[in-house]
Amino acid sequence: VRREPLSLVNLRKRHSGSGDEDLASRIDNYKAKATRHIFLIRHSQYHTDAPREKDRTLTPLGREQAELTGLRLASLGLRFNKIVHSSMTRAVETTDIISKHLPGVSTVSTDLLREGARIEPDPPVSHWKPEAVQYYEDGARIEAAFRNYIHRADVKQQEDSYEIFICHANVIRYIVCRALQFPPEGWLRLSLNNGSITHLVVRPDGCVALRALGDTGFMPPDKISRS
């Protein structure tokens, strides 16, 4: 359901039957019919100086940002299907606030979307140099998140879907590069504000479009931050 329809046809039966018409009919059974709208939300501002991850809670400004993001999402008038969020404290708290503005939308927590260092950036930066082992540990996980969540709709899906993923800047930037088939090493060239909205569209044919990247135009200037 996540690959080219032809690759999903049974190889042994591919050349059997009544020929091209039969093959075309079987291929059609594997074609997605719906479009997926994926909203990637960066968590709000948080206390970066706390020694333990569980204590890195949202700042007062961060809570305001989450309220504004929740209001913005609600104002779109879309029927959101679900909210998937990182299990890190700042993402959980951001989700709690946003979900209040989207009553009835289920939330699911996952470790796959936790922050990390997926791949060494090119060009490199002097102020951020994770240990090499971190790329190995985080890399496979974040790539797994991309493969698990960014794909065309299931063939059984009849209507367009609208899904929210609340996570972290590094994860979102990497996903955007991968989804658009850009060199993933350039992920650090993208900048995302806290509480920002990035909107990806995955069409039935597998083509991906970026409708918004790090949008915070709905926030007053004094509420915008990137920490």
PDB file of all heavy atoms in Angstrom, residues 46-70:
ATOM      1  N   TYR A  46      10.257  25.741  25.479  1.00  0.00           N
ATOM      2  CA  TYR A  46      10.352  24.992  26.734  1.00  0.00           C
ATOM      3  C   TYR A  46      11.592  25.415  27.507  1.00  0.00           C
ATOM      4  O   TYR A  46      12.449  26.137  26.995  1.00  0.00           O
ATOM      5  CB  TYR A  46      10.375  23.485  26.457  1.00  0.00           C
ATOM      6  CG  TYR A  46      11.628  22.998  25.765  1.00  0.00           C
ATOM      7  CD1 TYR A  46      12.608  22.289  26.458  1.00  0.00           C
ATOM      8  CD2 TYR A  46      11.853  23.255  24.412  1.00  0.00           C
ATOM      9  CE1 TYR A  46      13.768  21.842  25.815  1.00  0.00           C
ATOM     10  CE2 TYR A  46      12.999  22.803  23.767  1.00  0.00           C
ATOM     11  CZ  TYR A  46      13.948  22.103  24.474  1.00  0.00           C
ATOM     12  OH  TYR A  46      15.095  21.671  23.854  1.00  0.00           O
ATOM     13  N   HIS A  47      11.681  24.955  28.747  1.00  0.00           N
ATOM     14  CA  HIS A  47      12.828  25.269  29.608  1.00  0.00           C
ATOM     15  C   HIS A  47      14.012  24.407  29.173  1.00  0.00           C
ATOM     16  O   HIS A  47      14.089  23.222  29.501  1.00  0.00           O
ATOM     17  CB  HIS A  47      12.483  25.014  31.077  1.00  0.00           C
ATOM     18  CG  HIS A  47      11.416  25.926  31.613  1.00  0.00           C
ATOM     19  ND1 HIS A  47      11.646  27.242  31.927  1.00  0.00           N
ATOM     20  CD2 HIS A  47      10.101  25.701  31.876  1.00  0.00           C
ATOM     21  CE1 HIS A  47      10.534  27.802  32.377  1.00  0.00           C
ATOM     22  NE2 HIS A  47       9.581  26.884  32.342  1.00  0.00           N
ATOM     23  N   THR A  48      14.936  25.002  28.471  1.00  0.00           N
ATOM     24  CA  THR A  48      16.061  24.238  27.918  1.00  0.00           C
ATOM     25  C   THR A  48      17.153  23.938  28.932  1.00  0.00           C
ATOM     26  O   THR A  48      18.008  23.085  28.689  1.00  0.00           O
ATOM     27  CB  THR A  48      16.694  25.010  26.746  1.00  0.00           C
ATOM     28  OG1 THR A  48      17.147  26.286  27.221  1.00  0.00           O
ATOM     29  CG2 THR A  48      15.676  25.221  25.628  1.00  0.00           C
ATOM     30  N   ASP A  49      17.132  24.634  30.064  1.00  0.00           N
ATOM     31  CA  ASP A  49      18.220  24.479  31.033  1.00  0.00           C
ATOM     32  C   ASP A  49      17.961  23.405  32.081  1.00  0.00           C
ATOM     33  O   ASP A  49      18.804  23.169  32.952  1.00  0.00           O
ATOM     34  CB  ASP A  49      18.488  25.823  31.726  1.00  0.00           C
ATOM     35  CG  ASP A  49      17.239  26.408  32.366  1.00  0.00           C
ATOM     36  OD1 ASP A  49      16.135  25.861  32.138  1.00  0.00           O
ATOM     37  OD2 ASP A  49      17.357  27.418  33.084  1.00  0.00           O
ATOM     38  N   ALA A  50      16.812  22.736  32.029  1.00  0.00           N
ATOM     39  CA  ALA A  50      16.522  21.683  33.005  1.00  0.00           C
ATOM     40  C   ALA A  50      17.428  20.484  32.745  1.00  0.00           C
ATOM     41  O   ALA A  50      17.606  20.072  31.591  1.00  0.00           O
ATOM     42  CB  ALA A  50      15.065  21.267  32.926  1.00  0.00           C
ATOM     43  N   PRO A  51      18.021  19.899  33.781  1.00  0.00           N
ATOM     44  CA  PRO A  51      18.964  18.795  33.590  1.00  0.00           C
ATOM     45  C   PRO A  51      18.327  17.502  33.084  1.00  0.00           C
ATOM     46  O   PRO A  51      18.958  16.738  32.355  1.00  0.00           O
ATOM     47  CB  PRO A  51      19.573  18.597  34.979  1.00  0.00           C
ATOM     48  CG  PRO A  51      18.537  19.131  35.912  1.00  0.00           C
ATOM     49  CD  PRO A  51      17.897  20.278  35.202  1.00  0.00           C
ATOM     50  N   ARG A  52      17.072  17.251  33.469  1.00  0.00           N
ATOM     51  CA  ARG A  52      16.406  16.013  33.064  1.00  0.00           C
ATOM     52  C   ARG A  52      15.322  16.310  32.032  1.00  0.00           C
ATOM     53  O   ARG A  52      14.638  17.327  32.118  1.00  0.00           O
ATOM     54  CB  ARG A  52      15.799  15.315  34.280  1.00  0.00           C
ATOM     55  CG  ARG A  52      16.823  14.873  35.321  1.00  0.00           C
ATOM     56  CD  ARG A  52      16.146  14.160  36.478  1.00  0.00           C
ATOM     57  NE  ARG A  52      15.192  15.030  37.170  1.00  0.00           N
ATOM     58  CZ  ARG A  52      14.432  14.642  38.197  1.00  0.00           C
ATOM     59  NH1 ARG A  52      14.515  13.386  38.625  1.00  0.00           N
ATOM     60  NH2 ARG A  52      13.606  15.489  38.769  1.00  0.00           N
ATOM     61  N   GLU A  53      15.166  15.396  31.089  1.00  0.00           N
ATOM     62  CA  GLU A  53      14.194  15.607  30.011  1.00  0.00           C
ATOM     63  C   GLU A  53      12.786  15.815  30.556  1.00  0.00           C
ATOM     64  O   GLU A  53      12.034  16.659  30.056  1.00  0.00           O
ATOM     65  CB  GLU A  53      14.235  14.413  29.047  1.00  0.00           C
ATOM     66  CG  GLU A  53      13.445  14.612  27.755  1.00  0.00           C
ATOM     67  CD  GLU A  53      11.953  14.376  27.922  1.00  0.00           C
ATOM     68  OE1 GLU A  53      11.583  13.400  28.604  1.00  0.00           O
ATOM     69  OE2 GLU A  53      11.158  15.168  27.378  1.00  0.00           O
ATOM     70  N   LYS A  54      12.411  15.076  31.571  1.00  0.00           N
ATOM     71  CA  LYS A  54      11.048  15.185  32.083  1.00  0.00           C
ATOM     72  C   LYS A  54      10.772  16.542  32.732  1.00  0.00           C
ATOM     73  O   LYS A  54       9.610  16.923  32.919  1.00  0.00           O
ATOM     74  CB  LYS A  54      10.772  14.055  33.085  1.00  0.00           C
ATOM     75  CG  LYS A  54      11.531  14.170  34.396  1.00  0.00           C
ATOM     76  CD  LYS A  54      11.109  13.060  35.349  1.00  0.00           C
ATOM     77  CE  LYS A  54      11.757  13.197  36.716  1.00  0.00           C
ATOM     78  NZ  LYS A  54      11.303  12.135  37.653  1.00  0.00           N
ATOM     79  N   ASP A  55      11.841  17.264  33.065  1.00  0.00           N
ATOM     80  CA  ASP A  55      11.669  18.580  33.674  1.00  0.00           C
ATOM     81  C   ASP A  55      11.716  19.716  32.651  1.00  0.00           C
ATOM     82  O   ASP A  55      11.552  20.883  33.001  1.00  0.00           O
ATOM     83  CB  ASP A  55      12.753  18.821  34.731  1.00  0.00           C
ATOM     84  CG  ASP A  55      12.647  17.842  35.895  1.00  0.00           C
ATOM     85  OD1 ASP A  55      11.505  17.502  36.280  1.00  0.00           O
ATOM     86  OD2 ASP A  55      13.694  17.408  36.407  1.00  0.00           O
ATOM     87  N   ARG A  56      11.929  19.381  31.395  1.00  0.00           N
ATOM     88  CA  ARG A  56      11.982  20.409  30.347  1.00  0.00           C
ATOM     89  C   ARG A  56      10.574  20.712  29.857  1.00  0.00           C
ATOM     90  O   ARG A  56      10.167  20.395  28.743  1.00  0.00           O
ATOM     91  CB  ARG A  56      12.892  19.944  29.206  1.00  0.00           C
ATOM     92  CG  ARG A  56      14.350  19.813  29.648  1.00  0.00           C
ATOM     93  CD  ARG A  56      15.206  19.145  28.607  1.00  0.00           C
ATOM     94  NE  ARG A  56      16.521  18.819  29.166  1.00  0.00           N
ATOM     95  CZ  ARG A  56      17.376  17.966  28.627  1.00  0.00           C
ATOM     96  NH1 ARG A  56      17.078  17.360  27.489  1.00  0.00           N
ATOM     97  NH2 ARG A  56      18.535  17.723  29.210  1.00  0.00           N
ATOM     98  N   THR A  57       9.835  21.350  30.745  1.00  0.00           N
ATOM     99  CA  THR A  57       8.436  21.670  30.502  1.00  0.00           C
ATOM    100  C   THR A  57       8.304  22.961  29.696  1.00  0.00           C
ATOM    101  O   THR A  57       9.268  23.709  29.515  1.00  0.00           O
ATOM    102  CB  THR A  57       7.701  21.815  31.838  1.00  0.00           C
ATOM    103  OG1 THR A  57       8.378  22.810  32.628  1.00  0.00           O
ATOM    104  CG2 THR A  57       7.698  20.501  32.605  1.00  0.00           C
ATOM    105  N   LEU A  58       7.100  23.240  29.228  1.00  0.00           N
ATOM    106  CA  LEU A  58       6.862  24.447  28.462  1.00  0.00           C
ATOM    107  C   LEU A  58       6.989  25.694  29.336  1.00  0.00           C
ATOM    108  O   LEU A  58       6.617  25.686  30.509  1.00  0.00           O
ATOM    109  CB  LEU A  58       5.462  24.423  27.846  1.00  0.00           C
ATOM    110  CG  LEU A  58       5.148  23.307  26.843  1.00  0.00           C
ATOM    111  CD1 LEU A  58       3.759  23.534  26.242  1.00  0.00           C
ATOM    112  CD2 LEU A  58       6.203  23.235  25.752  1.00  0.00           C
ATOM    113  N   THR A  59       7.510  26.749  28.764  1.00  0.00           N
ATOM    114  CA  THR A  59       7.556  28.046  29.442  1.00  0.00           C
ATOM    115  C   THR A  59       6.160  28.674  29.347  1.00  0.00           C
ATOM    116  O   THR A  59       5.309  28.215  28.571  1.00  0.00           O
ATOM    117  CB  THR A  59       8.567  28.970  28.756  1.00  0.00           C
ATOM    118  OG1 THR A  59       8.103  29.233  27.421  1.00  0.00           O
ATOM    119  CG2 THR A  59       9.951  28.334  28.696  1.00  0.00           C
ATOM    120  N   PRO A  60       5.910  29.742  30.098  1.00  0.00           N
ATOM    121  CA  PRO A  60       4.626  30.452  29.938  1.00  0.00           C
ATOM    122  C   PRO A  60       4.382  30.875  28.493  1.00  0.00           C
ATOM    123  O   PRO A  60       3.262  30.755  27.985  1.00  0.00           O
ATOM    124  CB  PRO A  60       4.780  31.649  30.882  1.00  0.00           C
ATOM    125  CG  PRO A  60       5.687  31.148  31.960  1.00  0.00           C
ATOM    126  CD  PRO A  60       6.682  30.269  31.246  1.00  0.00           C
ATOM    127  N   LEU A  61       5.440  31.358  27.832  1.00  0.00           N
ATOM    128  CA  LEU A  61       5.294  31.720  26.423  1.00  0.00           C
ATOM    129  C   LEU A  61       4.969  30.482  25.593  1.00  0.00           C
ATOM    130  O   LEU A  61       4.128  30.536  24.680  1.00  0.00           O
ATOM    131  CB  LEU A  61       6.578  32.367  25.895  1.00  0.00           C
ATOM    132  CG  LEU A  61       6.624  32.639  24.382  1.00  0.00           C
ATOM    133  CD1 LEU A  61       5.476  33.555  23.966  1.00  0.00           C
ATOM    134  CD2 LEU A  61       7.976  33.241  23.982  1.00  0.00           C
ATOM    135  N   GLY A  62       5.606  29.377  25.898  1.00  0.00           N
ATOM    136  CA  GLY A  62       5.353  28.143  25.170  1.00  0.00           C
ATOM    137  C   GLY A  62       3.906  27.704  25.273  1.00  0.00           C
ATOM    138  O   GLY A  62       3.309  27.235  24.298  1.00  0.00           O
ATOM    139  N   ARG A  63       3.312  27.877  26.432  1.00  0.00           N
ATOM    140  CA  ARG A  63       1.908  27.512  26.614  1.00  0.00           C
ATOM    141  C   ARG A  63       1.005  28.422  25.786  1.00  0.00           C
ATOM    142  O   ARG A  63       0.009  27.975  25.205  1.00  0.00           O
ATOM    143  CB  ARG A  63       1.541  27.543  28.090  1.00  0.00           C
ATOM    144  CG  ARG A  63       2.386  26.598  28.960  1.00  0.00           C
ATOM    145  CD  ARG A  63       1.872  26.507  30.383  1.00  0.00           C
ATOM    146  NE  ARG A  63       0.601  25.796  30.431  1.00  0.00           N
ATOM    147  CZ  ARG A  63       0.468  24.473  30.430  1.00  0.00           C
ATOM    148  NH1 ARG A  63       1.548  23.690  30.358  1.00  0.00           N
ATOM    149  NH2 ARG A  63      -0.722  23.908  30.472  1.00  0.00           N
ATOM    150  N   GLU A  64       1.370  29.693  25.715  1.00  0.00           N
ATOM    151  CA  GLU A  64       0.613  30.618  24.877  1.00  0.00           C
ATOM    152  C   GLU A  64       0.732  30.217  23.407  1.00  0.00           C
ATOM    153  O   GLU A  64      -0.251  30.270  22.652  1.00  0.00           O
ATOM    154  CB  GLU A  64       1.131  32.044  25.061  1.00  0.00           C
ATOM    155  CG  GLU A  64       0.798  32.685  26.393  1.00  0.00           C
ATOM    156  CD  GLU A  64       1.244  34.140  26.426  1.00  0.00           C
ATOM    157  OE1 GLU A  64       0.637  34.972  25.724  1.00  0.00           O
ATOM    158  OE2 GLU A  64       2.215  34.441  27.152  1.00  0.00           O
ATOM    159  N   GLN A  65       1.927  29.842  23.002  1.00  0.00           N
ATOM    160  CA  GLN A  65       2.140  29.438  21.610  1.00  0.00           C
ATOM    161  C   GLN A  65       1.283  28.222  21.262  1.00  0.00           C
ATOM    162  O   GLN A  65       0.682  28.162  20.174  1.00  0.00           O
ATOM    163  CB  GLN A  65       3.616  29.112  21.371  1.00  0.00           C
ATOM    164  CG  GLN A  65       4.530  30.323  21.427  1.00  0.00           C
ATOM    165  CD  GLN A  65       5.997  29.938  21.469  1.00  0.00           C
ATOM    166  OE1 GLN A  65       6.345  28.825  21.857  1.00  0.00           O
ATOM    167  NE2 GLN A  65       6.870  30.861  21.085  1.00  0.00           N
ATOM    168  N   ALA A  66       1.226  27.245  22.160  1.00  0.00           N
ATOM    169  CA  ALA A  66       0.428  26.047  21.907  1.00  0.00           C
ATOM    170  C   ALA A  66      -1.054  26.392  21.785  1.00  0.00           C
ATOM    171  O   ALA A  66      -1.775  25.819  20.950  1.00  0.00           O
ATOM    172  CB  ALA A  66       0.647  25.024  23.017  1.00  0.00           C
ATOM    173  N   GLU A  67      -1.511  27.326  22.588  1.00  0.00           N
ATOM    174  CA  GLU A  67      -2.903  27.779  22.483  1.00  0.00           C
ATOM    175  C   GLU A  67      -3.159  28.392  21.108  1.00  0.00           C
ATOM    176  O   GLU A  67      -4.175  28.108  20.460  1.00  0.00           O
ATOM    177  CB  GLU A  67      -3.208  28.811  23.577  1.00  0.00           C
ATOM    178  CG  GLU A  67      -3.181  28.278  24.997  1.00  0.00           C
ATOM    179  CD  GLU A  67      -4.428  27.494  25.376  1.00  0.00           C
ATOM    180  OE1 GLU A  67      -5.345  27.344  24.529  1.00  0.00           O
ATOM    181  OE2 GLU A  67      -4.477  27.012  26.522  1.00  0.00           O
ATOM    182  N   LEU A  68      -2.231  29.217  20.656  1.00  0.00           N
ATOM    183  CA  LEU A  68      -2.382  29.870  19.357  1.00  0.00           C
ATOM    184  C   LEU A  68      -2.363  28.851  18.216  1.00  0.00           C
ATOM    185  O   LEU A  68      -3.130  28.968  17.256  1.00  0.00           O
ATOM    186  CB  LEU A  68      -1.271  30.904  19.160  1.00  0.00           C
ATOM    187  CG  LEU A  68      -1.354  32.151  20.051  1.00  0.00           C
ATOM    188  CD1 LEU A  68      -0.039  32.933  19.995  1.00  0.00           C
ATOM    189  CD2 LEU A  68      -2.527  33.038  19.633  1.00  0.00           C
ATOM    190  N   THR A  69      -1.489  27.847  18.338  1.00  0.00           N
ATOM    191  CA  THR A  69      -1.430  26.805  17.313  1.00  0.00           C
ATOM    192  C   THR A  69      -2.714  25.992  17.301  1.00  0.00           C
ATOM    193  O   THR A  69      -3.251  25.662  16.235  1.00  0.00           O
ATOM    194  CB  THR A  69      -0.220  25.882  17.536  1.00  0.00           C
ATOM    195  OG1 THR A  69       0.983  26.668  17.569  1.00  0.00           O
ATOM    196  CG2 THR A  69      -0.102  24.856  16.418  1.00  0.00           C
ATOM    197  N   GLY A  70      -3.207  25.673  18.482  1.00  0.00           N
ATOM    198  CA  GLY A  70      -4.467  24.935  18.571  1.00  0.00           C
ATOM    199  C   GLY A  70      -5.625  25.709  17.954  1.00  0.00           C
ATOM    200  O   GLY A  70      -6.454  25.144  17.227  1.00  0.00           O
TER     201      GLY A  70
END
